[in-house]
Amino acid sequence: MNQALLKDNLYQAVNGEWLKTAKIPADHASTGGFMDLNDNIDKQLMADFDDLSAHMDQVNGPLAEFLKLYHLAADFKKRDQDGATPLKPVLERIEHLSNFDELNNELADWIESGLPLPFNFDVDADMKNTSVNALFAGVPSLFLPDKTYYAADNQSAAQLMPIFTQMVQQLLVLADYSGAEAEAIVASAKKFDALIAPNVKSAEESADYSKMYNPRNFAEFAKSTNYLDLTALSQALFNQVPEQVIVTEPKYYDALNDIMNPANFDDMKNWMLVKTINGYSSLLSEEFRQTGSTYGRALSGRKSTTPQKKSAFYLASGVFGQTTGDFYAHKYFGEQAKADVEQMVRNMIAVYKQRLTNNQWLGEATRKKAVLKLDKLELQVGFPDHIDELEYKFKIVPSNQGGSLLTNLDEISRISIQHSFAKLGKPVDRTHWEMSASTVNAYYHPFKNIIVFPAAILQAPFYSLKQSRSQNYGGIGAVIAHEISHAFDNNGSLFDENGNLNNWWTDEDNAHFKQLAQQMIEEFDGIPFAGSKVNGKLTVSENIADAGGLSCAEEAAKNESNYDLYEFFTNWAQVWRTKSTEEYKQLLLNIDVHAPAELRANVQVKNLDDFYDTFNVQVGDGMYLAPDKRVKIW
């Protein structure tokens, strides 16, 4: 560690030597703390599943089905022999459509088949009554990463759209379209994509997710389109016509008749062809897979696509996430670590509760509601009690019985969609995990007021029984407190102790909080990074959570008898060590709600007075921030 640099750049001082030698794997856009742990877990599990495969007669349940799918995905000899054959019936289904009446006749099955449409339905907790599942209407994704790329002067789009165009044309030729046909299809599809772009939200606009709650009477919503019968569709999909639907982006549905109409039908059909062949390319031959990764590699700066075996593992484990997570957790996650982390969480909640109780800028009524929300906060550590029932429904048909990778995944998609839609109007399962236990990450769910820490993140440098308590608080402690802080960030603070979208703030307290949030926006907004600038508005919720998390974790560390703030701060900087391609940095600046890792490490510590004492940071040092500029919210 470069001790002389600590006062000027904590991140570089801690990680500089690593950054000099770290190599980004050819199939990665980045390497570092999170990615390294994920890679190690992937290697562990692939080796474990290779061993298990030699004893298939001893494996049953979802794990056996996972292994079957894994083997099917890894059989590239068969995939190469099949070529485009498994995909052609799907493409033909789209090609045979000639008008909206024909689409209407098969619309429910179309959706259950997972085929693309210019709108979509989802079932999730009603944001104002989170005990019950409600219907949501969402919008389609764009060809480019964000609507901001569609500005006439966007240089990234000028580089990316030709790559996307060429890639899809090549995919269509591989599926036996002529070059001229492929060129015409993609040009037509791009026209339809351009109709969608002005009417959907940007990443910055979507970052305020309370604004996705726009309930509409379903009968009125059905009038969004003159050409599809949404009432008959809902009856077929849900066995009922719901009274209301929550429209995530009203502007889009107000413009739906202008986007989706007979004059644009052929463009829409070609858009669906492009979406389909692009989405299915990773399930076909190696030539399809390599070609289909071209655009993604250009976006991220990856030099090569994922190796075959790893791609097969990712595909199968993506379907059987809880199954593989359950296997990982039972083999590698110990009860001692679970108990220790749960105690850290309780310590952090106690610190947060004391801070809320003693808070000077919240009024009494708001403060009491904040403490109530914290008291009701639920915790899940390690892995769920049981594998989700959905994964027991997946039955894989091997190739020697006529199954292909594509046909199996199509059936899995159908089962998953039907399973989700069947929840409409039924109670929400608040114990359901939305992340595999083998994922190096954590989350706060505002609809459930719950924090979740999968087993995979509970390892060094984030956490280890071999690390000091101060190191652990600077790692997993700050992550834990970050997730707690999400309950009180600019988004989470809009939801009450039960996860309902419900304003529990007085007007005065809310105005003060918005002033503090604006300070956080200004602290990050415009910071130069990777040849561009950070968007403080896009990243504000994560920055508020980082600030509250780091501050809370530091206080919890100081409550330990043998605390060492040098270890605390340096491990905080180490967990964020990241080396990324320039392309990936640019992409994340445009669409990611998190600030760049280096800035997460460096900027937040400047807000903590103890950081200055720990490293003797003075006026003129690179890490110095004047006291009146230090942002303190929680």
Side-chain angles (χ1 to χ4, degrees):
M1 188 183 303
N2 188 335
Q3 299 292 330
L5 191 57
L6 284 168
K7 295 182 179 185
D8 288 319
N9 191 318
L10 175 68
Y11 178 86
Q12 289 290 335
V14 173
N15 300 306
E17 291 305 310
W18 176 85
L19 287 165
K20 289 177 185 176
T21 59
K23 303 290 186 187
I24 302 173
D27 64 320
H28 284 23
S30 65
T31 190
F34 286 84
M35 186 60 70
D36 289 349
L37 293 183
N38 270 318
D39 285 346
N40 290 335
I41 291 170
D42 293 343
K43 289 175 185 175
Q44 280 178 328
L45 289 178
M46 285 194 289
D48 289 338
F49 293 137
D50 284 346
D51 291 341
L52 268 182
S53 296
H55 308 283
M56 285 290 288
D57 58 323
Q58 300 173 24
V59 185
N60 52 43
L63 188 57
E65 301 304 314
F66 158 76
L67 290 172
K68 290 179 191 175
L69 183 60
Y70 185 17
H71 296 158
L72 201 61
D75 188 356
F76 275 89
K77 182 178 180 181
K78 179 70 164 60
R79 288 170 63 169
D80 288 343
Q81 287 173 350
D82 290 345
T85 302
L87 177 62
K88 287 188 175 180
V90 184
L91 297 176
E92 289 168 2
R93 185 176 182 186
I94 299 171
E95 288 170 351
H96 288 161
L97 289 175
S98 58
N99 54 55
F100 280 104
D101 288 340
E102 291 180 1
L103 180 57
N104 251 323
N105 290 337
E106 53 180 299
L107 194 55
D109 187 74
W110 193 279
I111 288 176
E112 289 180 343
S113 299
L115 291 172
L117 284 166
F119 67 93
N120 61 71
F121 286 141
D122 184 32
V123 172
D124 203 347
D126 185 319
M127 294 166 68
K128 286 208 170 182
N129 179 15
T130 55
S131 63
V132 177
N133 284 302
L135 180 63
F136 287 72
V139 304
S141 61
L142 299 166
F143 291 162
L144 293 174
D146 187 67
K147 73 175 293 182
T148 54
Y149 283 70
Y150 290 76
D153 59 348
N154 190 287
Q155 294 302 308
S156 295
Q159 295 172 338
L160 290 170
M161 189 58 95
I163 296 171
F164 178 84
T165 300
Q166 184 179 19
M167 178 193 75
V168 180
Q169 288 175 359
Q170 289 174 343
L171 289 172
L172 288 164
V173 169
L174 286 175
D176 296 331
Y177 291 85
S178 71
E181 288 174 326
E183 188 175 338
I185 288 170
V186 178
S188 172
K190 285 160 59 178
K191 285 173 60 182
F192 193 74
D193 182 63
L195 288 175
I196 295 170
N199 297 292
V200 296
K201 291 181 180 179
S202 66
E204 180 185 314
E205 292 166 331
S206 298
D208 183 352
Y209 52 74
S210 68
K211 289 184 179 174
M212 68 187 285
Y213 190 78
N214 304 284
R216 286 188 175 180
N217 175 276
F218 192 89
E220 288 301 311
F221 167 76
K223 297 176 183 176
S224 299
T225 170
N226 296 333
Y227 309 105
L228 294 178
D229 189 343
L230 298 185
T231 302
L233 173 64
S234 68
Q235 186 65 51
L237 290 175
F238 313 114
N239 294 317
Q240 60 176 293
V241 178
E243 289 186 12
Q244 76 169 28
V245 57
I246 298 165
V247 180
T248 59
E249 300 195 23
K251 179 182 175 182
Y252 177 78
Y253 281 91
D254 291 343
L256 192 58
N257 271 325
D258 295 328
I259 296 168
M260 190 176 67
N261 56 51
N264 300 329
F265 185 84
D266 286 342
D267 291 337
M268 183 185 77
K269 190 167 81 168
N270 288 324
W271 176 85
M272 291 192 287
L273 281 172
V274 167
K275 285 269 184 179
T276 300
I277 199 163
N278 193 30
Y280 278 99
S281 62
S282 63
L283 311 180
L284 300 167
S285 68
E286 180 64 5
E287 190 173 10
F288 266 102
R289 195 176 75 91
Q290 289 287 347
T291 303
S293 71
T294 307
Y295 177 61
R297 285 187 279 121
L299 267 177
S300 65
R302 287 183 292 124
K303 291 181 171 59
S304 68
T305 194
T306 308
Q308 288 184 348
K309 183 176 181 180
K310 192 190 286 189
S311 74
F313 170 70
Y314 286 166
L315 192 152
S317 59
V319 171
F320 288 94
Q322 289 208 6
T323 298
T324 52
D326 185 76
F327 176 91
Y328 170 84
H330 279 96
K331 184 164 184 178
Y332 296 106
F333 185 59
E335 285 300 318
Q336 185 180 359
K338 179 179 170 122
D340 190 46
V341 170
E342 287 177 343
Q343 183 57 51
M344 289 180 70
V345 176
R346 286 191 285 272
N347 293 347
M348 228 88 63
I349 289 175
V351 168
Y352 231 109
K353 187 171 184 176
Q354 183 180 37
R355 288 185 169 199
L356 288 171
T357 302
N358 298 330
N359 183 284
Q360 296 300 306
W361 59 267
L362 285 176
E364 184 179 0
T366 308
R367 189 164 58 244
K368 284 182 177 178
K369 289 291 286 184
V371 170
L372 174 63
K373 183 171 186 180
L374 191 64
D375 285 342
K376 291 261 194 170
L377 181 71
E378 295 182 42
L379 168 67
Q380 293 174 341
V381 174
F383 56 99
D385 293 335
H386 56 83
I387 296 170
D388 193 304
E389 62 176 352
L390 175 61
E391 294 185 19
Y392 283 88
K393 296 182 178 182
F394 301 153
K395 305 299 178 186
I396 305 304
V397 180
S399 55
N400 61 8
Q401 295 178 25
S404 72
L405 183 57
L406 190 146
T407 56
N408 275 284
L409 289 172
D410 276 354
E411 181 60 18
I412 284 168
S413 175
R414 181 180 292 274
I415 291 169
S416 300
I417 291 169
Q418 290 174 344
H419 179 82
S420 173
F421 287 173
K423 295 178 180 178
L424 181 61
K426 294 181 179 176
V428 171
D429 178 6
R430 299 180 72 88
T431 67
H432 175 69
W433 281 51
E434 298 186 7
M435 191 176 283
S436 169
S438 57
T439 301
V440 182
N441 212 328
Y443 67 92
Y444 169 76
H445 198 312
F447 298 4
K448 297 179 180 178
N449 194 29
I450 191 168
I451 49 175
V452 181
F453 303 98
I457 199 172
L458 304 177
Q459 54 182 314
F462 293 95
Y463 172 82
S464 172
L465 289 167
K466 296 178 182 178
Q467 290 182 170
S468 72
R469 295 291 278 178
S470 293
Q471 286 174 302
N472 282 341
Y473 274 111
I476 196 63
V479 173
I480 291 167
H482 169 104
E483 300 306 336
I484 296 172
S485 296
H486 269 312
F488 305 99
D489 70 17
N490 60 305
N491 279 316
S493 61
L494 302 174
F495 296 81
D496 66 17
E497 70 275 10
N498 297 311
N500 295 318
L501 186 60
N502 176 25
N503 182 17
W504 45 273
W505 295 70
T506 64
D507 291 343
E508 183 180 1
D509 290 339
N510 190 37
H512 190 92
F513 176 74
K514 286 182 177 178
Q515 289 176 1
L516 295 173
Q518 183 61 34
Q519 290 177 24
M520 185 63 76
I521 290 172
E522 292 169 0
E523 183 167 39
F524 278 84
D525 197 51
I527 297 177
F529 189 81
S532 190
K533 293 180 179 179
V534 176
N535 183 337
K537 214 169 174 186
L538 173 64
T539 58
V540 61
S541 64
E542 294 295 334
N543 291 332
I544 290 173
D546 272 350
L550 184 63
S551 176
C552 180
E554 184 214 3
E555 186 170 337
K558 288 169 68 176
N559 288 338
E560 300 285 332
S561 59
N562 58 346
Y563 77 89
D564 184 331
L565 291 186
Y566 181 94
E567 289 186 346
F568 173 85
F569 285 118
T570 54
N571 200 45
W572 162 258
Q574 184 180 345
V575 299
W576 294 116
R577 70 181 188 188
T578 305
K579 192 170 191 176
S580 303
T581 64
E582 290 303 309
E583 295 90 342
Y584 193 52
K585 290 176 186 176
Q586 288 291 333
L587 176 65
L588 295 184
L589 278 173
N590 286 319
I591 66 171
D592 191 7
V593 294
H594 302 85
E598 181 172 349
L599 300 182
R600 296 180 78 173
N602 272 351
V603 176
Q604 295 294 356
V605 296
K606 295 178 184 179
N607 293 320
L608 299 180
D609 298 341
D610 281 339
F611 173 74
Y612 297 85
D613 296 333
T614 302
F615 296 103
N616 192 29
V617 176
Q618 303 291 333
V619 176
D621 293 332
M623 293 298 296
Y624 183 82
L625 185 66
D628 63 332
K629 298 292 185 183
R630 297 171 195 173
V631 182
K632 301 178 189 294
I633 300 180
W634 301 116

